[in-house]
Amino acid sequence: MAIPSVLKAYALSVDGRGYAGKADVELPELSVVTEDFAAGGMSGKIKIDMGLVEAIDCKFTLHEYNADILNQWGLANGSAVALIARGAMQSDTGGDPIPVKVTMRGQIQMAGFGTWEAGSKTSLECTVNCRSYKLEINNSTVIEIDAERMIRVVGGTDQMAALRGAIGI
């Protein structure tokens, strides 16, 4: 019986600044936009891919208030901030760690300042709406999504390439 690899270490950087030991990260859920479909001759409904993904939101919590992060809240004119979450997974039997890297670019849309309580740590909770997302495991790209450029690569195949070609982009 194989025991799964576990995340043994991780770090977050926001706009090139490292926050190792200062941040917790909630990585985005990925979901394809679908619509129920049923037509004559079918015995049930199926979900069909509408060619979009749901909004990709990443959340992170810093255990301090940080002006560098807050200065990027709500950047105007389509500006985006870069986030990189790096993790190291390793099996219980040892061996080399497996690097996991999630690269995202988006806008910090929410900044929450938590509850103040004497003698407790502060928190800065941020939500970033990601315009692009890339998941690499063991230095190999597994999923890449770029909403603005109509790119959705899964397992090395760009699922949107033919559609881009059909509309001339």
Side-chain angles (χ1 to χ4, degrees), residues 120-149:
S120 67
K121 64 183 178 184
T122 58
S123 64
L124 175 61
E125 299 172 5
C126 296
T127 300
V128 178
N129 176 252
C130 301
R131 297 172 182 182
S132 66
Y133 171 95
K134 183 173 164 182
L135 170 65
E136 298 171 82
I137 299 175
N138 208 14
N139 302 312
S140 178
T141 300
V142 178
I143 297 173
E144 182 173 2
I145 298 168
D146 189 321
E148 294 173 317
R149 296 202 307 263

Side-chain angles (χ1 to χ4, degrees), residues 12-13 26 80 86 94 106 113 132 134 167-168:
L12 174 70
S13 68
E26 182 181 331
R86 294 177 182 266
F113 299 92
S132 66
K134 183 173 164 182
I167 62 173

Side-chain angles (χ1 to χ4, degrees), residues 12 25-31 54-60 83 85 102-105 127-135 143 145:
L12 174 70
V25 182
E26 182 181 331
L27 295 174
E29 291 184 6
L30 302 179
S31 181
E54 296 286 353
I56 300 172
D57 289 335
C58 176
K59 297 178 182 179
F60 65 89
L83 285 85
V102 182
T103 306
M104 298 161 280
R105 182 179 54 83
T127 300
V128 178
N129 176 252
C130 301
R131 297 172 182 182
S132 66
Y133 171 95
K134 183 173 164 182
L135 170 65
I143 297 173
I145 298 168

